[in-house]
Amino acid sequence: MRRFLPFLDWLPRYNKTLFGKDLVAGITVGIILIPQGMAYAMIAGLPPVYGLYASLFPILTYAFLGTSRQIAVGPVAMDSLLVAAGLGTLAISGVQNYILMALFLSFMVGAFQLIFGFLRMGFLVNFMSRPVISGFTSAAAVIIIFSQLKHLLGADIINSNKFHELVINAFRHLSETNIYDFSIGIIGILIIASFKKWFDRFPAILLVVVLSTLVVYFFNLEAFDVQVVGEVPAGLPSFNVHSFSMEKVRDIWPIALTLAFVGYLEAISIGRAFEEKDNIETIDPNQELIALGASNMVGSFFQSYSVTASFSRSAINYESGAKSTVASVISVVMVALTLLFLTPLFYNLPKAALASIIMVSVFGLIDISYPKKLWYQSRDEFMVLLLTFLITLGVGIVEGILIGVLLSLLLMVYRTSKPHFAVLGSIKGSDYYKNISRFGDEAEVRPDLLIVRFDSQLYFGNSGYFKSELFKFINVKGRSLKAVILNAEAINYIDASASAVLINVIEEIHNRNIEFYIAGATGPIRDIIFKSGIINSLHKEYLFVKIKEAVAYHDDPNNIPSLRERVAHQNQSN
């Protein structure tokens, strides 16, 4: 039961002290969650109240099924932008149809996550490399910030998911700027940024919401065309069954799949970051998929759009001392009380204030230090980050992350197709054999021996490179060469195609009257050598545990024990 209901693991040890800390954290996060949820719903193109609906049943579901005790689940900026980007490509007429499609999208996201969780496919998120995540996140943050210019300026700016279109549209409507909206937004940004720098524990977002609402109410700024949230429906969300159709599924599955992976990646990365701080491991990657999937699916029936873990709220939750998911339940209670009794208070909340909350919240997602580090450390990964960033900005959100993942995989394939290939020499006065290009004069090279090391698995993608590099060094040695020794310590796999190439290489070397030895092969590689038929060309006596044994055999074949004896001796030594 603990495997499927992780809260059973910590609940028996729960006490008043832990509840006190969870109470403080839950109230603190709840104060932030209410205005932030409404703001993020605006990014998704939904009425603000749907941000509050997304802060109820999904969070409750995660509290029972999630394995992280600190992350705060709910509506987030990144997923909200992806919802708007995905649904924006569909021909949806009317606000109500758009809302229904957003709720169905949440169901599809949850279905994908739930299926991946039951199939134990949490490892798939590892294919999203950090350069791709950094480039995508930074670009998405820039787009989110500029998408809020319509609310900050109080102008009727056409929204877009492309950066250049947002900038062009903003310039075209710059003359329509409402000075009251603009003033509220700028002051809100300054207040939140200032408090974040000097009084980071103070809920500056709540202060901006209260002050801006009071200013609009007492000075009747709605009469001056200040955009306000307006009437927020009171009461808890009702239960609704989705209208299923194959046409809907066909239209929406690509964006749902993207959201499923991005949402899971956010949750798992945030959760692991807190685990490293506490040095306590509780997160089960596959159970997290199930928890997020169930949260999105259950939430979708109660008018919630897709949710995941929030960077900012999770940090506040952790710093406030949260010890379990009880803190999240307390935040849910605060949202429910707001929906039941406090919705009239949000009528005069200006959208410019919500825009200022969004802008400051997502600004921290723009990462400058990591690209700088990559520029000096790994230029090819920097290019992957840069291309992901530019494609996300200029082409689209979904296209950016998909092409980024593809570029990252292509880079990985390219690296494995041309791995490190080293020629080794013996270090003077020792039994060690090291790369001659690194150790220079310290490494002795014999004219009759070529000792090489291949630092990768040997497979169809790099077997041709292995062969060409090997014969390049063989040809350099010329007629003086009598034996080739392959140090196989770094080779962890040989596939069928590479096995055939290796057999061909051995036979071609033998045709030149040159011996071929393999040293340092691990047990699994020795199994492949025997099963694939490589041993028929190589012969058993040419397999060695260490390079020095292969060299000694070449010098005096009669004074070397058998392979079985050498392996037995090595195992005994270990």
Side-chain angles (χ1 to χ4, degrees):
M1 290 296 291
R2 287 178 179 176
R3 178 181 171 187
F4 296 102
L5 299 172
F7 74 93
L8 294 175
D9 191 43
W10 53 262
L11 190 61
R13 299 186 299 274
Y14 200 68
N15 54 46
K16 290 182 179 180
T17 303
L18 296 177
F19 177 74
K21 293 180 179 179
D22 283 337
L23 181 65
V24 173
I27 293 173
T28 305
V29 172
I31 290 170
I32 306 300
L33 175 60
I34 293 165
Q36 215 174 50
M38 297 174 73
Y40 291 158
M42 287 167 49
I43 297 176
L46 296 166
V49 71
Y50 282 86
L52 300 180
Y53 294 159
S55 305
L56 294 172
F57 288 96
I59 299 178
L60 277 178
T61 305
Y62 182 86
F64 288 100
L65 299 178
T67 56
S68 174
R69 301 177 190 178
Q70 274 89 28
I71 66 173
V73 172
V76 299
M78 190 74 68
D79 280 31
S80 300
L81 182 62
L82 283 168
V83 169
L87 297 183
T89 60
L90 305 178
I92 303 173
S93 58
V95 176
Q96 195 58 37
N97 288 331
Y98 183 91
I99 292 170
L100 291 174
M101 193 61 88
L103 302 184
F104 184 68
L105 174 61
S106 177
F107 176 83
M108 287 287 292
V109 170
F112 273 124
Q113 290 173 331
L114 203 62
I115 291 168
F116 291 150
F118 283 127
L119 294 177
R120 308 192 68 79
M121 296 175 68
F123 69 92
L124 288 175
V125 77
N126 296 329
F127 288 100
M128 297 181 72
S129 65
R130 190 180 171 189
V132 172
I133 298 166
S134 177
F136 167 72
T137 305
S138 296
V142 172
I143 292 173
I144 291 170
I145 289 170
F146 277 81
S147 70
Q148 295 308 299
L149 286 177
K150 61 182 294 183
H151 301 299
L152 187 71
L153 301 177
D156 188 19
I157 300 172
I158 301 170
N159 222 341
S160 173
N161 294 309
K162 298 179 178 64
F163 174 72
H164 60 281
E165 291 180 359
L166 283 170
V167 174
I168 292 169
N169 293 340
F171 271 109
R172 284 176 178 170
H173 296 271
L174 204 58
S175 59
E176 302 171 14
T177 300
N178 185 314
I179 190 64
Y180 298 104
D181 275 311
F182 184 71
S183 299
I184 291 170
I186 292 297
I187 292 171
I189 290 172
L190 292 174
I191 290 174
I192 297 171
S194 300
F195 275 81
K196 196 173 183 180
K197 185 175 182 180
W198 290 299
F199 309 101
D200 58 332
R201 291 187 175 274
F202 187 85
I205 290 175
L206 180 64
L207 179 64
V208 168
V209 168
V210 172
L211 287 179
S212 61
T213 303
L214 291 175
V215 166
V216 170
Y217 174 74
F218 283 112
F219 292 96
N220 192 26
L221 294 184
E222 191 179 0
F224 296 91
D225 295 325
V226 169
Q227 299 176 10
V228 295
V229 168
E231 187 176 349
V232 178
L236 301 177
S238 58
F239 178 84
N240 289 318
V241 179
H242 300 292
S243 173
F244 292 91
S245 70
M246 284 308 298
E247 184 181 357
K248 268 187 176 182
V249 173
R250 189 175 59 251
D251 288 342
I252 220 167
W253 78 263
I255 183 63
L257 185 61
T258 305
L259 267 165
F261 276 120
V262 171
Y264 172 63
L265 178 67
E266 288 178 281
I268 207 76
S269 60
I270 295 168
R272 282 178 175 169
F274 293 137
E275 278 190 342
E276 289 176 9
K277 287 184 177 181
D278 287 342
N279 202 24
I280 299 174
E281 293 186 6
T282 62
I283 291 179
D284 179 346
N286 294 304
Q287 180 62 26
E288 280 298 291
L289 272 171
I290 293 171
L292 288 172
S295 298
N296 278 309
M297 289 184 75
V298 171
S300 70
F301 291 108
F302 292 92
Q303 302 183 54
S304 164
Y305 72 103
S306 60
V307 300
T308 187
S310 163
F311 286 98
S312 57
R313 293 195 304 275
S314 295
I316 293 168
N317 197 40
Y318 177 81
E319 289 167 5
S320 300
K323 297 300 178 183
S324 71
T325 51
V326 170
S328 297
V329 175
I330 292 166
S331 298
V332 169
V333 172
M334 291 189 65
V335 175
L337 291 174
T338 300
L339 280 168
L340 289 171
F341 306 110
L342 304 177
T343 52
L345 299 178
F346 291 103
Y347 181 92
N348 290 299
L349 175 60
K351 290 184 177 181
L354 293 178
S356 67
I357 294 169
I358 293 170
M359 287 179 162
V360 178
S361 297
V362 303
F363 183 78
L365 298 179
I366 301 175
D367 193 351
I368 303 296
S369 60
Y370 186 63
K372 284 183 178 179
K373 180 181 176 183
L374 281 185
W375 175 255
Y376 295 105
Q377 181 179 317
S378 178
R379 293 287 174 90
D380 49 5
E381 288 187 279
F382 173 82
M383 290 307 299
V384 170
L385 186 152
L386 181 62
L387 287 171
T388 302
F389 178 80
L390 294 175
I391 292 168
T392 304
L393 279 184
V395 180
I397 305 293
V398 179
E399 292 86 349
I401 194 165
L402 291 178
I403 293 174
V405 170
L406 180 61
L407 288 172
S408 187
L409 291 175
L410 287 174
L411 178 60
M412 181 186 71
V413 171
Y414 174 76
R415 283 177 174 172
T416 58
S417 69
K418 291 188 176 182
H420 186 244
F421 193 102
V423 176
L424 309 181
S426 61
I427 301 299
K428 296 174 182 177
S430 74
D431 292 330
Y432 294 108
Y433 288 81
K434 298 294 182 181
N435 188 346
I436 61 172
S437 64
R438 288 180 178 270
F439 285 82
D441 295 336
E442 293 181 51
E444 294 179 336
V445 181
R446 288 173 48 170
D448 62 328
L449 279 179
L450 174 62
I451 307 171
V452 296
R453 189 183 71 229
F454 192 68
D455 295 337
S456 172
Q457 62 173 313
L458 195 54
Y459 76 111
F460 66 92
N462 62 22
S463 56
Y465 174 76
F466 168 78
K467 181 178 179 179
S468 63
E469 286 294 294
L470 179 59
F471 278 103
K472 181 176 77 175
F473 290 111
I474 288 174
N475 293 333
V476 170
K477 286 279 188 179
R479 294 181 180 275
S480 61
L481 183 63
K482 301 300 179 185
V484 174
I485 302 173
L486 172 62
N487 179 14
E489 288 176 342
I491 301 175
N492 55 26
Y493 184 71
I494 304 175
D495 73 358
S497 301
S499 296
V501 171
L502 188 55
I503 290 170
N504 178 266
V505 165
I506 294 170
E507 290 175 351
E508 194 170 332
I509 288 173
H510 285 168
N511 289 337
R512 298 190 184 192
N513 293 319
I514 300 171
E515 293 178 338
F516 187 87
Y517 309 132
I518 295 179
T522 60
I525 295 301
R526 287 200 300 269
D527 292 341
I528 293 172
I529 289 171
F530 278 88
K531 290 177 181 178
S532 64
I534 295 173
I535 196 66
N536 297 329
S537 299
L538 182 68
H539 304 308
K540 291 181 182 179
E541 61 269 24
Y542 289 173
L543 267 177
F544 298 90
V545 176
K546 296 181 178 179
I547 296 174
K548 67 174 184 177
E549 294 175 353
V551 174
Y553 180 87
H554 172 69
D555 292 337
D556 186 2
N558 298 319
N559 195 32
I560 297 297
S562 67
L563 171 66
R564 185 182 296 276
E565 290 172 338
R566 294 195 300 270
V567 173
H569 175 71
Q570 178 68 18
N571 291 338
Q572 188 177 10
S573 300
N574 291 338

